[in-house]
Amino acid sequence: MESFIINNLTIIFGLSIAILYVCHRLHIPIIVGFLFTGMLLGPHGYGLIDAIEEVEVLAEIGIVLLLFTIGVELSLKDLWAIKKAVLIGGSIQVLLTIGVVYFISSYLGSGFAESVFIGFLFSLSSTAIVLKLLQKRGELHAPHGRLSLAILLYQDVIVVPMILVTPFLAGVGSAGDAALLPIIAKGIGLVVLVMASAKWIVPTVLYQITKTRDSELFFLSIIVVCLSVAWLTSSMGLSLALGAFLAGLIISESEYSHQALSNLIPFRDIFMSFFFISIGMLLDIDHFFGNPVLFILVAAGVLLLKSVVAGLSSYLLGFPMRTAVLGGLALAQVGEFSFVLSRFGLEYGILDQDVYQLFLVVSILTMAVTSSVMSLSPRVADRVVNLPMPSKLKCGFHPGAMMDVLDKKTHLEDHLIIAGFGFNGKTVAKAATVAGIPYIILDTNPETVRKEQLKGELVYYGDSSQKGVLEHADIKNARVLVVCISDPAGTRRTVELSRKLNPNLHIITRTQYLQEMEPLYALGANEVIPEEFETSVEIFVRLMKRYLIPKDEIEKLVSEIRSDGYEMFRTMSGTMNIYDMEVDIPEMNITNVRVRSSSYVVGKTLGQIGLRKKYGVTILAVRRSSEILANPDADLSLTSGDVVVLMGTPEMISKVDPLFAGGNIE
């Protein structure tokens, strides 16, 4: 018997390694890899596994550990901080999806219980896939990233009531009010038990356990808490999954939650792999090949439906169109909790095999394309916001939207625009206040805008990647733009659009990663501050202090590192930051322009062009490849690709700019 189980486990893990490696190379989510593994191993595939019941037992443990860790990770304080996005946004997304799917299923001939339950299944998205992709793309703290996280948190919690409602949909728990009262009483008793355990019992017990400094004893205690509460709820006629979730909530309110979570995650991942493999074993691939067009069309319909509903949820919260589209596309797939819920639907007879097979195939297809959908989402969002529609629709219906407010403000000139009011934006605003620099703040978080406006900040609701918003912020009269938003695609679009609207604007932008620097310089940024580089500098400073290096020597080294590093980045970008020239002349601007191949000035000498004589614009330097020609002679001929440093009034520089860009001046 032992060798029989070991043989099956060896086959499962061996095939999983090969398939997951292929999935990694093809950028396919790991969950899809496990499902595909189960499909190959199961009775509808090659039938390599006979111990299906044993795998299902391990899968049940995986569900218990998954819901337990979700409960441990769930911080009620963190949820309260984003309560509006979680409660309102999540409720709108889930209820709207259930409602739309219900009407579609009913129209196609499904009964009430089946239609509602299918709505449950398709209302949930994949927390594991979405958060991993957002983190990988550096968008977790972007507006659409925070929105997606809030809605996903709501979905992770709402799955527990869905599990509780499932028996009633199946008619198992619908014996009237007499049967409902005991369940309500049990629920109240469980809530009281959880509150008491979280506040007094479990922290006291775990404190005594941790005093022994025995990690094995601590781990076993956490497992016992999880299994005990799960067993208790099961014995009361409720689900094991609910008990595991409540046990996680008990641990989450203690100071031991982080250690408990780190101990459990490896075991959870192993057992969850069995869960997805067991789901894959139930998948009959013949259903797909019997009518592949139908399955693909249904999957495309689910992606479109969920994108629209999730985007609408974000939009109704007050976020702009672009953020809503990005958030909607991120939540378009079916989630892993839908597989957990589907097992209950199958167990209670709500779903028949044909509908279950349709659900499995469609879910796997939506998961498989999630990475590609999120990669394309910035382009889709740009296309949507560029459609002919009122500016009000693009900016959202937040009461503090800048289309309603900015027209009433005093006209500013030579001011600073701060795009994004997170930590970096607030720091810049404080510095500007101290220096007496007039500034305008743009942000897409309605709550931040409302709160900061009450404090007297000149902050307005608007997406800085939109032309109308930048124009209302008087970007043509602004002197400096500081981009502090967390969305890489939005940052690039803001820089590109700002440079087109104001060629003389000095643009400073932050970015998380070094590889983002070159595209930003190419789009027109004057200075790019990479957090990755600055973090390494700070680590270097802490290291030197630890080794007791004198403060003045550390400052000198840091200055050299920053100087060499940023010069290297600028050289790499192929542009020249002329603001390194220490000059500050009132009413005069210094800017750099690139000579295009179609330019009027190609092949002409500086004397023939006569910029200073004709237009009052002085050529300070010419950069040709890696060579800088300072104070060039009048007989120097310009060639395509040269970078010319100009000094003059903003009006005159704007007039001569077409000469270098490929136009002419009459």
Side-chain angles (χ1 to χ4, degrees):
M1 180 65 182
E2 290 81 0
S3 62
F4 176 75
I5 295 176
I6 291 174
N7 289 340
N8 281 273
L9 292 178
T10 304
I11 294 172
I12 290 172
F13 287 124
L15 186 60
S16 297
I17 291 171
I19 292 176
L20 294 180
Y21 177 78
V22 174
C23 289
H24 174 76
R25 301 291 295 180
L26 298 177
H27 303 289
I28 296 174
I30 191 173
I31 293 173
V32 177
F34 282 126
L35 293 168
F36 189 65
T37 301
M39 184 187 71
L40 293 180
L41 293 173
H44 302 294
Y46 292 102
L48 300 176
I49 296 298
D50 298 320
I52 295 177
E53 292 184 2
E54 287 80 357
V55 172
E56 289 180 346
V57 170
L58 297 175
E60 189 73 22
I61 297 174
I63 295 173
V64 169
L65 291 179
L66 174 64
L67 284 167
F68 179 68
T69 53
I70 289 293
V72 173
E73 290 178 305
L74 188 64
S75 170
L76 298 179
K77 294 179 182 177
D78 292 342
L79 282 178
W80 185 253
I82 53 173
K83 56 185 179 296
K84 182 179 178 182
V86 172
L87 295 176
I88 300 179
S91 297
I92 293 173
Q93 185 271 327
V94 169
L95 292 176
L96 264 181
T97 306
I98 293 172
V100 174
V101 173
Y102 169 79
F103 283 113
I104 294 174
S105 299
S106 299
Y107 179 78
L108 294 176
S110 299
F112 172 80
E114 186 178 33
S115 298
V116 172
F117 191 77
I118 293 173
F120 285 177
L121 296 179
F122 286 120
S123 67
L124 305 176
S125 304
S126 176
T127 303
I129 294 175
V130 174
L131 293 188
K132 184 177 181 180
L133 288 173
L134 286 173
Q135 194 169 30
K136 183 179 178 181
R137 293 164 58 86
E139 298 175 358
L140 192 56
H141 299 290
H144 66 276
R146 295 195 301 269
L147 267 173
S148 300
L149 174 61
I151 293 175
L152 287 168
L153 283 174
Y154 181 88
Q155 292 177 0
D156 288 347
V157 175
I158 202 66
V159 73
V160 176
M162 287 178 177
I163 292 172
L164 290 175
V165 169
T166 300
F168 290 94
L169 287 176
V172 175
S174 58
D177 295 337
L180 188 61
L181 290 175
I183 292 178
I184 294 175
K186 291 175 184 178
I188 294 173
L190 273 176
V191 171
V192 173
L193 175 64
V194 168
M195 292 176 63
S197 300
K199 191 169 182 63
W200 295 294
I201 302 172
V202 171
T204 303
V205 172
L206 290 182
Y207 174 71
Q208 298 298 326
I209 295 295
T210 53
K211 282 172 64 176
T212 65
R213 298 180 180 273
D214 190 326
S215 58
E216 289 83 2
L217 182 58
F218 176 80
F219 175 68
L220 288 175
S221 302
I222 296 297
I223 292 294
V224 167
V225 171
C226 171
L227 297 181
S228 297
V229 180
W231 169 79
L232 179 62
T233 56
S234 178
S235 64
M236 294 171 65
L238 302 172
S239 70
L240 282 170
L242 173 64
F245 177 75
L246 294 176
L249 280 180
I250 293 172
I251 300 295
S252 71
E253 295 304 310
S254 72
E255 61 268 36
Y256 312 108
S257 58
H258 297 295
Q259 182 62 41
L261 190 63
S262 63
N263 285 349
L264 276 173
I265 282 178
F267 292 92
R268 180 201 66 183
D269 292 344
I270 291 173
F271 284 104
M272 278 308 298
S273 67
F274 285 109
F275 170 71
F276 290 116
I277 288 170
S278 70
I279 292 291
M281 287 180 176
L282 299 174
L283 178 62
D284 187 355
I285 198 62
D286 291 337
H287 275 73
F288 175 75
F289 288 114
N291 196 346
V293 176
L294 172 65
F295 286 98
I296 293 172
L297 287 176
V298 173
V302 169
L303 288 170
L304 179 61
L305 169 66
K306 294 200 66 180
S307 298
V308 172
V309 171
L312 181 61
S313 305
S314 305
Y315 191 68
L316 292 176
L317 282 173
F319 286 87
M321 181 73 72
R322 188 173 188 278
T323 300
V325 172
L326 291 173
L329 290 171
L331 299 173
Q333 74 294 127
V334 179
E336 57 272 0
F337 273 115
S338 297
F339 293 117
V340 176
L341 193 59
S342 68
R343 292 285 289 268
F344 289 94
L346 203 60
E347 178 183 339
Y348 286 106
I350 298 177
L351 299 179
D352 59 35
Q353 276 299 325
D354 289 336
V355 175
Y356 186 65
Q357 291 297 326
L358 176 66
F359 161 73
L360 289 179
V361 174
V362 169
S363 301
I364 293 171
L365 289 175
T366 61
M367 284 181 163
V369 300
T370 298
S371 179
S372 300
V373 169
M374 290 183 66
S375 296
L376 293 172
S377 61
R379 292 185 224 171
V380 175
D382 291 340
R383 292 280 182 94
V384 171
V385 297
N386 286 330
L387 292 173
M389 66 177 76
S391 298
K392 184 69 175 177
L393 286 177
K394 296 181 182 181
C395 292
F397 293 96
H398 182 259
M402 61 183 312
M403 295 303 168
D404 297 330
V405 180
L406 274 180
D407 288 333
K408 302 175 184 178
K409 70 175 178 62
T410 304
H411 176 72
L412 294 177
E413 193 168 336
D414 207 32
H415 58 288
L416 162 68
I417 299 175
I418 303 172
F421 205 51
F423 177 78
N424 291 320
K426 290 177 181 177
T427 303
V428 173
K430 287 179 181 177
T433 301
V434 172
I437 300 171
Y439 63 87
I440 290 176
I441 304 162
L442 304 176
D443 197 86
T444 55
N445 189 322
E447 293 300 315
T448 299
V449 172
R450 183 181 287 110
K451 184 169 63 176
E452 297 300 328
Q453 281 180 347
L454 292 175
K455 294 179 182 178
E457 284 284 6
L458 200 66
V459 53
Y460 299 105
Y461 177 84
D463 184 355
S464 61
S465 67
Q466 300 303 312
K467 181 180 178 182
V469 172
L470 291 173
E471 287 177 339
H472 276 74
D474 287 337
I475 193 166
K476 292 182 179 179
N477 295 313
R479 183 172 184 178
V480 179
L481 167 68
V482 178
V483 185
C484 303
I485 58 180
S486 301
D487 177 8
T491 299
R492 290 192 294 269
R493 180 169 171 79
T494 299
V495 170
E496 181 182 20
L497 190 58
S498 301
R499 177 56 66 211
K500 289 179 180 177
L501 293 173
N502 187 347
N504 301 315
L505 184 70
H506 188 74
I507 302 175
I508 305 171
T509 180
R510 64 168 279 275
T511 182
Q512 285 186 291
Y513 306 110
L514 295 176
Q515 60 262 32
E516 285 287 323
M517 296 186 68
E518 188 171 357
L520 289 170
Y521 276 126
L523 291 170
N526 297 100
E527 299 183 53
V528 182
I529 311 299
E531 292 182 356
E532 195 173 31
F533 177 72
E534 288 299 326
T535 301
S536 68
V537 172
E538 184 61 26
I539 292 173
F540 170 79
V541 171
R542 302 287 178 94
L543 177 65
M544 293 296 101
K545 286 181 179 179
R546 191 67 180 174
Y547 279 92
L548 304 179
I549 305 298
K551 183 179 179 181
D552 57 338
E553 292 185 23
I554 294 176
E555 291 175 350
K556 182 180 178 182
L557 288 169
V558 169
S559 178
E560 291 176 358
I561 289 171
R562 282 205 170 98
S563 176
D564 293 343
Y566 282 106
E567 183 60 35
M568 176 186 68
F569 298 146
R570 292 175 189 128
T571 301
M572 179 179 65
S573 71
T575 61
M576 175 181 167
N577 190 344
I578 46 81
Y579 287 87
D580 287 341
M581 301 175 64
E582 295 181 0
V583 62
D584 186 11
I585 305 174
E587 306 303 326
M588 299 292 281
N589 272 12
I590 298 175
T591 189
N592 56 333
V593 295
R594 187 178 295 277
V595 179
R596 305 297 177 184
S597 58
S598 59
S599 172
Y600 163 80
V601 302
V602 173
K604 291 183 170 57
T605 65
L606 300 185
Q608 291 173 330
I609 301 169
L611 288 184
R612 185 171 184 180
K613 183 178 180 180
K614 295 178 182 177
Y615 310 106
V617 175
T618 302
I619 297 180
L620 299 178
V622 176
R623 176 172 181 166
R624 183 168 294 166
S625 298
S626 60
E627 182 182 7
I628 297 178
L629 307 173
N631 194 22
D633 296 331
D635 58 354
L636 176 69
S637 296
L638 294 179
T639 61
S640 176
D642 286 348
V643 176
V644 181
V645 183
L646 305 176
M647 182 175 75
T649 63
E651 294 79 13
M652 288 297 101
I653 289 179
S654 296
K655 283 186 178 182
V656 302
D657 186 65
L659 286 174
F660 300 91
N664 205 336
I665 299 178
E666 298 296 335

